């Protein structure tokens, strides 16, 4: 039997009962819970309200159901039929690891280490970091994870312009921050009640809250000003703000003069983005554009958030993320408390060192850059080296979350498998990702994953996802209850938390770290891998002189960084080649890009492809987070499905009426690539020409395996979103939001 409810052998029962602190098993946020354990089994899991991050989102009550669900993967399995046929043989971990390692060794000998691609997902705990460590020791620069699509462009832009060696803080400080612009982010969903409270507190203490979003999001509900932007027009808006601020002379002249290079070029680049023109492009009234530009420039300190909605816009991402960086800089908001603090990596963890990026850069077997680097050199070995040179004076290890440079552009991965261009990728090891719904152009993902060119596909997950259904080996992962957890979000978090496992792994589930350790030990990396995940956490925590177990056993198992200091650049300069803020980036130029990227429309848009827009007359954005799911996950949880049962296409009631569509009707959402079925949800706060389609849907209750693959073709928006190389951002990120579509009723 492959799946089954947990059972305890009578002989093991010793009728013990205890309460332990741990992490919620449901998603990678790792919120704190208290677990009542009876006879080794969690009988009650509730939010730990004494912790700074209690598990209190709408999914939290499902922890036990998630942990015990009968459809969880519990044993390693090997494919015995054709790919996707659903014929498996249960095998031991030893056999699985021996066979996978042997195949990887063979591929390395025949095609070089670069022929192995790792694929990770959104943040899920320790697997990603262990994966990069493994890839670096193995010698492959082909590592991709979903951070590629949820941030890389914005961070790479910031590092190019002002060279922060960590990340940029953007949360308003109550009583200090005067202006907070949430641009393409909706914190009350990812951050839950705590984020909502923090926004309200800041507003109460006088921060003006401004939200830029095509939807009236939860954040927009809390705002003083909501700019209802046309999806994908964000670059034009950023250039419009810059135009007003420069034209009216309300930028920080002293800072610009002393610290910025390339101001005249910037002035030239934005000169045509007058409020009138920008209003036409963005569908935002002129007065609002001018009001927000003036408010932000005149009311310091102010901050502009990072935002997913601004990094998934393909070509339009470029001017958006650079534009946001220029705005922060020329208003003199950089490295101010309450403004935009330039954080270092926390000193209590040796994250950069432990990930072994240097080994990759100097690996004796690696002769090539990653498969996307010839198209997007910023994201690759060359990019990494260039950033490090630029930052060398401040930190020779380069930017904190260095993995962003090594995140292979997804569309290039599929070309490397299908067309063997620029060189063949022969193996993919996926862990914690469902690329079949998460990445653009699911048809091409499918073509690659079923290609005869691919010699090995391993998938490690909690569930038999459409991606796992196509794998050669499927491996069962532990969840947050069953494994140790050290917070810190890919090295971003400057706060970290620790929690011990609360129960033993059920069945044969293993933690993600063990996959990389076991493969590493079989592939010449002996001595590199502590035996246990806890042991590796000890190494990461060495600078703090505390062990993981000690940290986890504290009442408040958190480490906080030193209190922030501002304007450190006055002593050190900025971490760029010149030591200044480079509005025209010399780093980008060294990598073959223009110093200032042009402001472009998304690949398909009313402005760029007006003829096509006549046929597909609605602008579509897709995939905003739902409070009931985490991306593609949790569709197995009945209680969540009752709240949000299927994929919805939100549409203005007048537009729906003109198409003969009522609330709840099945509709075709159709782009120039094809159509999927979703269900109409009327929303009169949307612009009548804008649609929001739900993203990342598959239906675990539907028939698994070929040809249905659990309904992966039914509502999955990414199956009608292209991954054309020309549509990607300067970093090679997928273009996942801001397309065009038409909506028609489903008449069958
Ligand atoms: N059109 C469109 N597409 C998008 C987006 C969008 O906004 N619009 N958003 C993008 C974004 S931001 C992201 S991050 C991606 C998300 O893309 P993915 O990361 O691929 O999707 P997830 O649903 O987060 O998780 C994928 C799988 O991880 C498994 N998993 C969960 N926990 C663990 C664990 O501890 N170990 C292991 N081994 N597996 C685990 C889950 O069961 C799930 O099957 O999608 C992107 N795709
Ligand atoms: N409950 C829950 N929490 C989550 C997730 C989840 O799926 N569910 N996902 C996790 C992940 S992987 C991530 S990356 C974070 C993301 O968290 P956020 O950054 O908050 O991302 P989203 O809610 O996906 O998108 C933010 C906003 O972008 C808007 N948007 C869409 N298109 C555009 C556009 O063209 N321009 C502008 N300006 N805005 C646009 C959307 O309407 C949405 O309100 O959340 C994490 N937390
Ligand atoms: S489901 Fe995720 S966000 Fe919600 S409480 Fe659990 S870990 Fe936190
Ligand atoms: Mo994400």
């Amino acid at each position: 039997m492959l799946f089954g409810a947990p059972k305890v052998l009578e002989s093991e029962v010793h009728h013990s009962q205890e309460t332990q602190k741990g992490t919620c098993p449901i998603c990678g946020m790792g919120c704190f819970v208290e677990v009542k354990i009876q006879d080794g089994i969690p009988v009650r899991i509730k939010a730990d309200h004494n912790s700074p991050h209690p598990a209190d989102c709408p999914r939290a009550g499902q922890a036990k159901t998630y942990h015990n669900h009968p459809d969880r993967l519990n044993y390693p399995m090997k494919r015995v039929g054709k790919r996707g046929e659903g014929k498996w043989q249960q095998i031991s971990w030893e056999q699985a690891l021996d066979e996978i390692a042997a195949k990887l060794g063979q591929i390395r000998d025949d095609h070089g280490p670069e022929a192995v691609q790792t694929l990770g997902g959104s943040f899920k705990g320790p697997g990603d970091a262990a994966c990069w460590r493994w890839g670096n020791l193995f010698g492959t620069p082909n590592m991709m994870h979903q951070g590629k699509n949820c941030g890389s462009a914005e961070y790479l832009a910031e590092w190019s312009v002002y060279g922060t060696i960590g990340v940029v803080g953007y949360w308003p400080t109550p009583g200090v921050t005067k202006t907070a612009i949430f641009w393409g982010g909706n914190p009350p969903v990812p951050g839950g009640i705590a984020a909502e409270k923090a926004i309200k507190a800041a507003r109460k203490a006088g921060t003006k809250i401004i939200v830029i979003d095509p939807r009236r999001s939860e954040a927009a509900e809390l705002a003083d000003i909501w700019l209802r932007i046309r999806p994908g027009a964000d670059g034009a808006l950023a250039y419009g703000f810059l135009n007003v601020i420069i034209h009216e002379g309300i930028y920080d002249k002293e800072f610009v003069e002393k610290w910025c290079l390339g101001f005249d070029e910037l002035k030239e680049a934005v000169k045509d983005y007058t409020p009138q023109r920008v209003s036409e492009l963005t569908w935002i009234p002129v007065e609002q554009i001018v009001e927000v530009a003036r408010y932000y420039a005149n009311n310091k300190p102010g901050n502009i958030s990072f935002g997913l909605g601004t990094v998934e816009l393909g070509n339009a991402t470029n001017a958006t993320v650079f534009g946001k960086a220029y705005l922060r800089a020329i208003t003199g908001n950089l490295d101010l408390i309450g403004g935009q603090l330039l954080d270092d990596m926390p000193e209590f963890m040796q994250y950069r060192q432990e990930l072994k990026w240097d080994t990759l850069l100097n690996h004796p077997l690696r002769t090539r850059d990653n498969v996307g680097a010839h198209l997007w050199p910023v994201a690759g070995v060359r990019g990494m080296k260039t950033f490090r040179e630029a930052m060398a004076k401040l930190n020779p290890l380069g930017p904190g979350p260095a993995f962003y440079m090594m995140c292979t552009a997804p569309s290039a991965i599929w070309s490397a498998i299908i067309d063997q261009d620029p060189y063949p990728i022969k193996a993919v090891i996926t862990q914690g990702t469902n690329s079949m719904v998460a990445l653009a152009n699911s048809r091409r993902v499918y073509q690659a994953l079923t290609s005869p060119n691919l010699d090995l596909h391993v998938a490690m997950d909690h569930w038999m996802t459409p991606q796992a259904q196509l794998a050669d080996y499927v491996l069962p992962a532990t969840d947050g209850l069953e494994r140790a957890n050290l917070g810190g979000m890919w090295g971003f978090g400057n706060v970290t938390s620790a929690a011990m496992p609360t129960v033993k792994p059920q069945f044969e589930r293993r933690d993600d770290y063990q996959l990389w350790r076991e493969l590493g030990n079989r592939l010449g990396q002996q001595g590199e891998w502590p035996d246990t995940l806890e042991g590796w956490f000890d190494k990461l925590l060495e600078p703090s002189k505390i062990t993981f177990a000690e940290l986890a056993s504290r009442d408040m198992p958190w480490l906080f960084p030193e209190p922030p200091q501002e304007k450190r650049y006055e002593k050190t300069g900025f971490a760029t080649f010149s030591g200044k803020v480079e509005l025209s980036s010399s780093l980008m130029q060294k990598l073959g890009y223009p110093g200032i990227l042009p402001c472009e429309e998304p690949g398909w848009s009313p402005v760029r492809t007006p003829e096509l827009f006549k046929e597909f007359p609605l602008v579509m954005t897709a995939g905003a987070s739902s409070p009931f799911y985490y991306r593609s996950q949790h569709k197995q949880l009945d209680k969540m499905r009752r709240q949000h049962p299927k994929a919805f296409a939100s549409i203005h009631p007048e537009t729906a009426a003109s198409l003969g569509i009522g609330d709840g009707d099945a509709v075709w959402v159709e782009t120039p690539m094809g159509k999927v079925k979703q269900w109409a949800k009327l929303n009169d706060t949307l612009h009548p020409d804008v649609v929001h389609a739900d993203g990342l849907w598959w239906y675990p209750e539907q028939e698994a395996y070929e040809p249905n693959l659990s309904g992966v073709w039914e509502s999955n928006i990414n199956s009608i979103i292209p991954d054309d190389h020309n549509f990607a951002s300067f970093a090679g990120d997928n273009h996942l939001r801001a397309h065009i579509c038409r909506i028609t009723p489903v008449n069958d």
Side-chain angles (χ1 to χ4, degrees), residues 337-352:
I337 290 175
Q340 224 89 48
L341 274 176
L342 306 182
D343 279 350
D344 290 352
M345 294 287 283
E347 281 170 13
F348 50 74
M349 268 168 84
Q350 48 184 357
Y351 203 76
R352 279 184 279 218

Side-chain angles (χ1 to χ4, degrees), residues 27 29 57-59 121-124 146-147 149-151 170 182-192 211-220 227 229-234 237 305-313 320 324 489-490 602 619-635 686 692 696 737-738:
C27 85
M29 301 299 282
C57 87
R59 287 160 289 143
S122 62
F123 183 75
K124 315 248 158 46
Q146 287 289 355
N149 293 322
C150 55
Y170 65 77
F182 290 95
W183 195 335
N186 186 22
V189 172
V211 169
I212 305 174
D213 198 308
R215 297 182 315 129
R216 192 168 171 89
S217 62
E218 287 81 351
L227 302 187
I229 192 166
R230 164 172 67 89
D234 300 75
L237 182 63
S305 75
F306 158 85
L308 190 63
T310 59
V311 297
E312 294 187 340
L313 306 176
T320 309
K324 287 164 85 174
M489 297 290 278
W490 291 332
V619 180
M620 176 183 91
T621 179
S625 310
S626 156
F628 306 109
Y629 302 111
Y630 195 101
R631 300 294 155 201
S632 76
Q633 302 178 64
H634 312 138
K635 310 293 189 284
L686 284 170
H692 172 263
L696 294 108
R737 296 182 180 187

Side-chain angles (χ1 to χ4, degrees), residues 520-535:
N521 283 344
R522 285 168 171 79
L523 286 160
Q525 302 175 11
Q526 297 90 332
E528 293 284 356
W529 295 92
D531 288 346
T532 61
L533 179 54
E534 288 86 335

Side-chain angles (χ1 to χ4, degrees), residues 528-565:
E528 293 284 356
W529 295 92
D531 288 346
T532 61
L533 179 54
E534 288 86 335
W536 188 42
F537 288 161
D538 284 344
K539 288 200 70 142
L540 285 168
L541 285 169
E542 254 166 29
S544 71
K545 304 202 168 41
I546 184 172
T547 66
F548 174 73
E550 280 163 0
L551 181 60
S553 65
R554 287 184 179 173
D555 279 346
M556 294 286 277
W558 289 66
L559 289 176
F560 295 94
E562 297 290 309
Q565 291 171 1

Side-chain angles (χ1 to χ4, degrees), residues 485-527:
N485 204 11
L486 185 67
M489 297 290 278
W490 291 332
F492 274 114
N494 51 6
V495 178
T496 199
S497 60
M500 281 295 197
T502 44
V503 293
K504 285 209 174 76
Q506 297 205 55
F507 306 96
E508 293 184 19
R509 301 175 191 170
R510 282 198 188 175
D511 70 56
D512 292 308
Y513 170 81
Q514 289 297 342
L515 172 67
W516 304 108
R517 175 184 162 269
E518 294 278 3
L519 291 178
N521 283 344
R522 285 168 171 79
L523 286 160
Q525 302 175 11
Q526 297 90 332

Side-chain angles (χ1 to χ4, degrees), residues 318-387:
N318 302 352
T320 309
V321 293
F322 277 95
K324 287 164 85 174
Y326 305 147
L327 281 163
R328 296 170 181 128
I330 69 160
T331 53
N333 270 305
L334 287 180
D335 220 16
L336 289 190
I337 290 175
Q340 224 89 48
L341 274 176
L342 306 182
D343 279 350
D344 290 352
M345 294 287 283
E347 281 170 13
F348 50 74
M349 268 168 84
Q350 48 184 357
Y351 203 76
R352 279 184 279 218
Q353 295 88 323
E354 265 298 301
L355 293 195
K356 307 270 178 185
W357 293 109
D358 290 292
T359 309
L360 177 72
L361 298 183
N362 304 307
H363 201 289
L365 295 179
R366 185 191 61 75
T367 56
R368 294 166 290 191
D369 208 327
N370 74 34
V371 290
H374 61 303
L375 297 167
W376 303 285
V378 70
V381 172
R382 208 176 124 212
M384 168 92 92
K385 286 187 169 160
T386 314
F387 276 107

Side-chain angles (χ1 to χ4, degrees), residues 241-251 263 266-267 270 330:
F241 287 155
L242 288 160
N243 177 294
V244 172
I245 291 169
I246 294 174
H247 185 74
E248 297 190 1
I250 50 177
Y251 55 93
F263 185 72
L266 178 65
K267 192 171 170 183
V270 304
I330 69 160

